[in-house]
Amino acid sequence: MKRLFLAAALLALPASAIAQKAPEGGAWTECMVGDIFADRDRLEIGCAGKTAGPRRFALEIRDPLAETLLRLAISAKDRNRPLGVLFVMAPEANPEGCDAEICRRLAAVNLR
């Protein structure tokens, strides 16, 4: 519940304020949602375009942020708007099935 409240609070902040509050070991990036993947264990979004760094972001389906991520990702894709994504840089934190070469654990999202 605390993480859901934190995510809601982050959504209310302007992107510039959020970028300054990225936790140690985390980074913000922008993602134009290309695809949304869900299975019984993981929710994952893929970003359209080819840029350096991770282009897929995931979290466990049981994570309190999963429902919010799904709603925001669908909205961003439908409206052709980017998501601001705070992700954990260390691949060791990845959910199972999140490929260390291209995917990272998602920590927060912001519809821009």
Side-chain angles (χ1 to χ4, degrees):
M1 187 64 164
K2 288 180 183 177
R3 289 187 352 188
L4 186 57
F5 177 73
L6 174 62
L10 288 171
L11 292 172
L13 293 173
S16 60
I18 294 172
Q20 296 170 2
K21 297 184 183 298
E24 183 177 338
W28 283 95
T29 191
E30 194 166 275
C31 174
M32 293 300 291
V33 178
D35 65 277
I36 302 166
F37 168 82
D39 68 13
R40 58 187 296 227
D41 298 319
R42 185 176 80 254
L43 178 62
E44 190 172 307
I45 60 169
C47 304
K50 296 181 180 182
T51 62
R55 300 312 301 156
R56 301 193 70 77
F57 302 96
L59 45 79
E60 289 85 358
I61 202 76
R62 68 184 181 278
D63 189 296
L65 186 56
E67 186 178 328
T68 301
L69 170 61
L70 183 58
R71 279 196 312 254
L72 290 176
I74 290 169
S75 180
K77 186 167 177 59
D78 287 348
R79 295 164 50 187
N80 199 33
R81 290 182 55 194
L83 282 179
V85 176
L86 175 62
F87 66 96
V88 179
M89 293 171 52
E92 298 80 27
N94 283 359
E96 187 173 331
C98 184
D99 182 353
E101 294 292 317
I102 59 169
C103 185
R104 291 295 182 271
R105 173 178 292 282
L106 183 134
V109 292
N110 171 319
L111 181 59
R112 298 198 175 170

